[in-house]
Amino acid sequence: MEDKKYLIYHGLKCPKENHTLESLKYFENFQIDVLDLFCISYPKSGTTWMQEIIPLLLNGGDLTPVESIPNWERVPWLEETRAVLFLDKLSAPRTMVSHMPYPLMPPTFSSSKAKAIYIARNPKDVLVSSFYFHQMASFLDDPGTFEEFMDKFLAGQVLFGKWTDHVKSWRNTDLGDRIFYITYEELIQDLRGALERMLRFLGRQMSEEALDRVTEHCLFKNMKKNNMSNYSLVPQEVMDSSKSHFLRKGIAGDWKNHFSPELEDKFNAVIQKELEGSGINFPWD
Ligand code: PPS
């Protein structure tokens, strides 16, 4: 049955607000350049944060682009309708984000030399963040109660499918040292240190002073004020900031304010079973 709000792509829900058959074709046929850089995330894991961080690491810490170009234009989503408008205009290295699982990446991605950064976040906080996002974004279904939304999340009936499928798909790649793994929690704990590690992965250098500036700029309290990144440019009828802000709390562990002990047991049981044998260890385990 045709869904009003979502396109179903290889079984994954993609919002029609910013995904079309054409945009997904563009994604599939995208010709990857050796210098391209991908930032991959399951939704609500720190995508917007990376759209702020990466351009600054690549340009030596010049704040001009992140303060003058909207995040979806400076680091576009490869699968979204806006990619075709903005990607061709970017100078190398082109940087883009994607919520796609690894097996759906454009066929030339794995044989290319393009690099990828994968950011993961505690799925309990992903769930909480997504719950509020569904309340404020008119292009998404009403989430219902928190428990109802958790059931949908665990069943993978949410944007881009199951969280566990996503993280597992990106751990089992043949990308070798072309991929760098980082977590939202590491950025929260030591942003400067995480930026230094990403700089090394990207083969870039930055003065201590520039690194201080970038770190300060990318703190939640400062990014929240950046109109090019806080989604205040989006009309209220599309994202209703009176219900929730896109840059909402920006902390690790907000799930503790939302999970009862019963919900925590249920959530842990499903996630642990699905990650069993994967060999993946996360800092929140
Ligand atoms: S989306 O819709 O997939 O693009 O969302 P995404 O950007 O991946 O995730 C949104 C959450 O990331 C938080 N965020 C930050 N946290 C800390 N510091 C900084 N600088 C930052 N920037 C974005 C944002 O607030 C959302 O998390 P919650 O928990 O809802 O606050």
Side-chain angles (χ1 to χ4, degrees):
M1 197 181 68
E2 174 78 359
D3 191 298
K4 257 171 62 187
K5 295 195 168 175
Y6 305 105
L7 264 179
I8 307 299
Y9 181 69
H10 293 271
L12 304 179
K13 276 178 150 183
C14 306
K16 283 186 181 168
E17 171 76 10
N18 38 30
H19 299 78
T20 58
L21 291 176
E22 293 72 39
S23 78
L24 293 163
K25 266 271 164 290
Y26 176 86
F27 165 79
E28 286 170 5
N29 296 328
F30 187 69
Q31 292 304 307
I32 290 161
D33 184 86
V34 56
L35 294 175
D36 285 343
L37 174 63
F38 292 79
C39 178
I40 312 289
S41 61
Y42 183 82
K44 312 322 278 184
S45 299
T47 324
T48 317
W49 208 352
M50 297 305 282
Q51 286 170 318
E52 198 86 354
I53 290 171
I54 307 252
L56 295 171
L57 298 184
L58 292 175
N59 77 7
D62 175 6
L63 298 181
T64 318
V66 297
E67 290 181 338
S68 55
I69 308 171
N71 61 319
W72 55 78
E73 191 172 326
R74 79 176 98 95
V75 185
W77 273 266
L78 185 52
E79 57 269 18
E80 288 195 359
T81 44
R82 292 177 287 217
V84 67
L85 303 175
F86 302 121
L87 260 166
D88 284 347
K89 297 192 188 115
L90 299 181
S91 48
R94 299 182 297 187
T95 310
M96 60 213 100
V97 284
S98 176
H99 288 319
M100 287 291 179
Y102 184 61
L104 295 187
M105 288 299 281
T108 52
F109 175 67
S110 79
S111 58
S112 75
K113 291 204 163 62
K115 287 184 173 182
I117 298 181
Y118 186 89
I119 180 156
R121 184 181 189 187
N122 186 334
K124 292 183 180 132
D125 283 329
V126 168
L127 170 66
V128 171
S129 180
S130 189
F131 177 68
Y132 286 102
F133 186 47
H134 278 69
Q135 290 183 345
M136 61 91 82
S138 64
F139 55 90
L140 300 177
D141 282 339
D142 183 289
T145 65
F146 186 68
E147 183 163 10
E148 285 165 353
F149 190 63
M150 176 190 284
D151 288 338
K152 278 177 140 188
F153 182 87
L154 291 174
Q157 290 158 8
V158 286
L159 303 178
F160 291 90
K162 273 190 186 181
W163 179 85
T164 47
D165 286 344
H166 202 278
V167 293
K168 283 194 285 188
S169 82
W170 277 97
R171 284 295 163 140
N172 297 311
T173 68
D174 46 7
L175 298 176
D177 58 9
R178 284 169 46 204
I179 185 160
F180 180 82
Y181 297 98
I182 189 96
T183 59
Y184 180 96
E185 288 69 19
E186 287 169 277
L187 297 183
I188 289 281
Q189 207 178 8
D190 175 15
L191 182 57
R192 198 180 197 281
L195 297 182
E196 281 179 310
R197 295 205 299 287
M198 282 191 265
L199 270 175
R200 277 199 291 280
F201 170 70
L202 296 172
R204 300 293 175 120
Q205 285 180 339
M206 199 180 265
S207 68
E208 293 293 310
E209 185 220 334
L211 193 54
D212 285 341
R213 184 169 61 244
V214 171
T215 308
E216 185 63 20
H217 174 84
C218 292
L219 292 176
F220 182 77
K221 62 176 185 191
N222 296 328
M223 244 184 86
K224 204 174 158 67
K225 288 186 259 175
N226 183 359
N227 289 340
M228 295 298 129
S229 311
N230 62 13
Y231 283 87
S232 57
L233 297 177
V234 175
Q236 189 81 351
E237 58 271 21
V238 179
M239 288 189 185
D240 186 348
S241 59
S242 71
K243 293 187 177 153
S244 179
H245 288 282
F246 187 97
L247 273 89
R248 191 184 57 91
K249 271 198 180 174
I251 59 169
D254 191 34
W255 65 269
K256 291 176 190 150
N257 299 315
H258 295 80
F259 279 59
S260 65
E262 294 73 33
L263 288 188
E264 193 186 349
D265 287 347
K266 174 156 100 177
F267 192 92
N268 285 345
V270 174
I271 300 288
Q272 276 164 14
K273 185 160 181 291
E274 292 182 359
L275 288 185
E276 222 168 60
S278 69
I280 307 176
N281 289 311
F282 286 115
W284 53 82
D285 286 338

